[in-house]
Amino acid sequence: MAASTASRLSPPRPTASSPYPRPPPRLSRFSSLRAAKLEAVLSIGTHVIPHPRKVETGGEDAFFVGGDGGGVFAIADGVSGWAEKNVNPALFSREVMANSSTFLKDEEASNDPQILLMKAHAATSSIGSATVIIAMLEKTGTLKIASVGDCGLKVIRKGQVMFSTYPQEHYFDCPYQISSEAIGQTYQDALVCTVNLMEGDMIVSGSDGFFDNIFDQEILAVISESPGIDEAAKALAELARKHSVDVRFDSPYSIEARSRGFDVPWWKKLLGAKLTGGKMDDITVIVAQVKTVAVPDDEGRGVEQEKRGEQVTVAATASAEQNG
Amino acid sequence: MAASTASRLSPPRPTASSPYPRPPPRLSRFSSLRAAKLEAVLSIGTHVIPHPRKVETGGEDAFFVGGDGGGVFAIADGVSGWAEKNVNPALFSREVMANSSTFLKDEEASNDPQILLMKAHAATSSIGSATVIIAMLEKTGTLKIASVGDCGLKVIRKGQVMFSTYPQEHYFDCPYQISSEAIGQTYQDALVCTVNLMEGDMIVSGSDGFFDNIFDQEILAVISESPGIDEAAKALAELARKHSVDVRFDSPYSIEARSRGFDVPWWKKLLGAKLTGGKMDDITVIVAQVKTVAVPDDEGRGVEQEKRGEQVTVAATASAEQNG
């Protein structure tokens, strides 16, 4: 088969009739749900596995789940280089997440992840730096995202990745990061984007220690095989952890490293070797599923709790210590 | 070097001082520009190269650039499978683009790419189907995107890809597509997202015939070496075209094909061969640069044309015939 001879396929065509009548205009599936008094909420599962050498201290990732209806989550990954300066890299990431939780009470910040990032960062007094991603789901189904660095977020719909953030970095393995120092990035450097979600969409978010050790096809397979979001988060984290300590696994991290010119010494190359291996790191995974809840009136108050499913999200800050 | 021993780096730290004073709150770089009476506009360059066997007919891609201030562009890629049913696949894509141009006069459609897609599709009477991407830049710097299928859009900031759409498909090489038939997709199946842009950001959008034949690092290199957007669009299209007819080039398309289980016959594999090659297809490239224009008053009227640079964007529909 020569790739260049392929031509694109149209799906089976049942009839050769004229254009079919189309449904009346709707802004989006959630706009129509809103008209029917339905609102979008998230059910969220999380799992954290610290770096193998940081199990006792819980690692340097921190995360946060909160918001009315569980519509907000965030991950901060403390930059490990600070340990060389006798600074605990976990303090900064944990404080940023704790401050993010606090500022959710602020009306402006509670509706804009970039503003929340700005306020949480400004209120942080710890020395250090961190990559951060914050995501907020509006009741209409729009997910708002602000990200500095290489935490990631993917949206899965009908078994395929249909949206993904991209990492920002200064150079290989040195991500954009908010910092206690003037040289760092701020909310102004964030990637700010939105994506319109539909009922049933799955969101998979994580620190770079997750995405550097797992491929999209593996994420899709685990999601499809998991009975629930908690099981999915745990299985995803454990698969990434397994790859991270496998020196023969050709991980997304090692593929990227080779593409940037890193490799084994020349004499090993002559013997047929190449740079492989996972990346040992803290691994944080958040899996969220978009659901709808019925609201009894136009005010949007009094959400019927029982329709949210078994997983009711609660405001909480957490670090790797809690489930490492 | 063992990949798993790497630890993330923090950038050089000039002082060990306490957190530096941060700038006053700003929503985004364009929000601040708006306060200073600056608005975001696009300068747009385009280039189309038809499939080598479709040069005489101009191919089946169509595109459209328009909107006040040149803030709207779109690409439609006619699905070639219709030729087997004696339908010219170019008619549908060209009509969708022409209708998109017409409906930009509709206030609702001119502010929402998903609505524009809905109205342009509903008004199309040709038989056929197409993948479509529509992008609109708001004056505040927010780029709104609606995409059905595997046309793509990437945002480049400071020399790196910081945003990218993902293709949607039924199975390998069969993308989501709006259609004259009921079995096709509609605006309701579109990926709908936004990304906040900054002055200087570059947008690279194209049909799958472009992105299947070029890697991100090549796009970044061409963009950085090109003196302007017209030259960049031309150079990108020509590089993709060169790869598309190179049976030995290990293209994004052939890598994806192998990952889906396609390859050369087993006896060729035994001889060390593998499936390689570009994908011969129509190639459409749109390169847009985000600029700012000063407006004289709060009304946002009377944009100073001379500040837009040499490239003034105009409303136009085009097909491959125009510059093939």
Side-chain angles (χ1 to χ4, degrees):
Chain A
M1 172 185 166
S4 58
T5 64
S7 72
R8 287 161 20 124
L9 308 165
S10 51
R13 190 179 169 214
T15 65
S17 64
S18 60
Y20 68 102
R22 298 209 175 78
R26 292 199 297 169
L27 252 174
S28 75
R29 287 185 176 163
F30 274 112
S31 296
S32 70
L33 291 172
R34 184 171 46 181
K37 314 294 180 209
L38 293 176
E39 294 179 352
V41 296
L42 294 178
S43 292
I44 299 181
T46 64
H47 202 80
V48 178
I49 302 177
H51 188 294
R53 289 194 295 271
K54 298 172 186 173
V55 174
E56 286 188 15
T57 58
E60 291 137 16
D61 281 1
F63 74 91
F64 156 74
V65 173
D68 290 339
V72 182
F73 63 84
I75 299 170
D77 178 348
V79 173
S80 56
W82 286 92
E84 295 157 21
K85 299 180 172 72
N86 293 320
V87 172
N88 178 357
L91 299 181
F92 187 87
S93 55
R94 290 176 193 172
E95 191 181 352
V96 169
M97 289 293 93
N99 289 337
S100 297
S101 172
T102 302
F103 279 105
L104 268 190
K105 295 166 195 153
D106 177 291
E107 189 178 340
E108 190 188 21
S110 70
N111 287 305
D112 187 324
Q114 194 179 22
I115 297 288
L116 183 59
L117 175 61
M118 176 191 77
K119 294 195 173 186
H121 183 194
T124 299
S125 57
S126 296
I127 299 291
S129 61
T131 63
V132 181
I133 191 165
I134 302 177
M136 293 180 177
L137 184 70
E138 290 186 336
K139 292 172 181 176
T140 57
T142 298
L143 187 72
K144 299 173 173 175
I145 303 161
S147 176
V148 175
D150 57 6
C151 292
L153 185 152
K154 293 174 191 281
V155 176
I156 298 168
R157 180 178 299 163
K158 296 178 181 170
Q160 61 189 306
V161 176
M162 49 78 74
F163 181 88
S164 177
T165 60
Y166 258 59
Q168 306 155 294
E169 61 182 20
H170 298 287
Y171 48 87
F172 184 62
D173 236 3
C174 179
Y176 279 27
Q177 52 205 270
I178 62 168
S179 172
S180 56
E181 311 307 308
I183 201 171
Q185 283 66 58
T186 73
Y187 71 100
Q188 294 180 312
D189 301 293
L191 165 68
V192 179
C193 57
T194 72
V195 54
N196 289 11
L197 300 183
M198 296 179 180
E199 186 172 11
D201 283 353
M202 302 290 291
I203 303 165
V204 177
S205 186
S207 54
D208 71 312
F210 174 64
F211 289 110
D212 279 346
N213 286 304
I214 197 163
F215 289 95
D216 281 4
Q217 290 303 321
E218 294 178 309
I219 294 173
L220 295 174
V222 169
I223 290 286
S224 72
E225 291 160 7
S226 297
I229 50 175
D230 290 320
E231 294 86 350
K234 185 166 186 281
L236 287 170
E238 286 176 347
L239 181 56
R241 154 73 196 218
K242 181 181 151 199
H243 290 335
S244 77
V245 295
D246 180 352
V247 294
R248 273 178 277 193
F249 180 65
D250 199 14
S251 63
Y253 181 74
S254 58
I255 292 172
E256 185 68 19
R258 291 200 305 273
S259 80
R260 304 296 187 91
F262 297 94
D263 213 329
V264 294
W266 64 269
W267 55 271
K268 281 193 178 177
K269 265 189 169 174
L270 286 182
L271 298 171
K274 66 179 180 181
L275 178 74
T276 59
K279 180 186 173 192
M280 285 208 287
D281 198 354
D282 302 320
I283 293 168
T284 298
V285 182
I286 294 180
V287 177
Q289 186 166 27
V290 182
K291 299 189 172 184
T292 54
V293 294
V295 294
D297 57 41
D298 286 353
E299 296 303 303
R301 310 284 178 190
V303 171
E304 294 173 28
Q305 292 286 344
E306 70 273 20
K307 294 206 178 183
R308 290 192 187 179
E310 293 173 18
Q311 179 88 5
V312 177
T313 53
V314 293
T317 57
S319 75
E321 288 167 280
Q322 295 185 299
N323 62 349
Chain B
M1 173 186 164
S4 59
T5 64
S7 72
R8 289 168 10 130
L9 308 165
S10 51
R13 191 180 169 212
T15 65
S17 63
S18 60
Y20 67 102
R22 299 209 175 78
R26 290 197 299 168
L27 252 174
S28 76
R29 287 184 175 161
F30 273 111
S31 296
S32 70
L33 291 171
R34 185 172 45 183
K37 314 292 181 214
L38 292 176
E39 294 179 351
V41 296
L42 294 179
S43 292
I44 299 181
T46 64
H47 202 80
V48 177
I49 303 178
H51 188 294
R53 288 194 294 270
K54 299 172 185 173
V55 174
E56 286 188 16
T57 58
E60 292 136 16
D61 281 0
F63 73 91
F64 156 73
V65 173
D68 290 339
V72 181
F73 62 84
I75 299 170
D77 177 348
V79 173
S80 57
W82 286 93
E84 295 156 21
K85 299 179 172 73
N86 293 319
V87 172
N88 177 356
L91 299 181
F92 187 88
S93 55
R94 290 176 193 172
E95 190 181 353
V96 169
M97 289 292 93
N99 289 338
S100 297
S101 171
T102 303
F103 279 105
L104 268 189
K105 294 167 196 153
D106 177 292
E107 189 178 341
E108 191 188 20
S110 70
N111 286 304
D112 186 323
Q114 194 179 23
I115 297 287
L116 183 59
L117 175 61
M118 176 191 78
K119 295 195 173 186
H121 183 194
T124 299
S125 59
S126 296
I127 299 291
S129 61
T131 64
V132 181
I133 191 165
I134 302 178
M136 293 180 177
L137 184 71
E138 291 187 336
K139 292 173 180 175
T140 57
T142 298
L143 186 73
K144 298 173 172 176
I145 303 161
S147 175
V148 175
D150 57 6
C151 291
L153 185 151
K154 293 173 191 280
V155 176
I156 298 168
R157 180 178 298 164
K158 295 178 183 171
Q160 60 188 304
V161 175
M162 49 77 73
F163 181 88
S164 177
T165 59
Y166 258 58
Q168 305 156 295
E169 61 183 21
H170 299 288
Y171 49 85
F172 184 63
D173 236 4
C174 179
Y176 280 28
Q177 52 203 268
I178 62 168
S179 173
S180 56
E181 310 307 308
I183 202 172
Q185 283 66 58
T186 73
Y187 71 99
Q188 294 181 312
D189 301 293
L191 164 69
V192 179
C193 58
T194 72
V195 55
N196 289 10
L197 300 183
M198 296 179 180
E199 186 172 12
D201 283 353
M202 302 289 292
I203 303 166
V204 177
S205 187
S207 55
D208 71 313
F210 174 64
F211 289 111
D212 279 344
N213 286 305
I214 197 163
F215 289 95
D216 281 4
Q217 291 302 321
E218 294 177 309
I219 294 173
L220 294 174
V222 170
I223 290 286
S224 72
E225 291 160 8
S226 296
I229 50 177
D230 290 320
E231 294 87 349
K234 186 167 186 280
L236 286 170
E238 287 177 347
L239 181 57
R241 154 73 195 219
K242 182 181 151 198
H243 290 335
S244 76
V245 295
D246 180 353
V247 294
R248 272 178 277 194
F249 179 65
D250 200 13
S251 64
Y253 181 74
S254 58
I255 291 172
E256 185 68 18
R258 291 199 306 273
S259 80
R260 304 296 187 92
F262 298 94
D263 214 330
V264 294
W266 64 270
W267 55 271
K268 281 193 179 177
K269 264 189 169 175
L270 286 181
L271 298 171
K274 66 179 180 181
L275 178 73
T276 59
K279 180 185 173 192
M280 285 207 289
D281 199 353
D282 301 320
I283 294 168
T284 297
V285 182
I286 293 180
V287 176
Q289 186 166 28
V290 182
K291 300 189 173 184
T292 54
V293 294
V295 293
D297 57 43
D298 286 352
E299 298 303 304
R301 310 284 178 191
V303 170
E304 294 173 30
Q305 293 286 345
E306 71 273 19
K307 294 204 177 183
R308 291 192 188 178
E310 293 173 17
Q311 180 88 6
V312 177
T313 53
V314 293
T317 58
S319 75
E321 290 167 280
Q322 294 185 301
N323 62 349

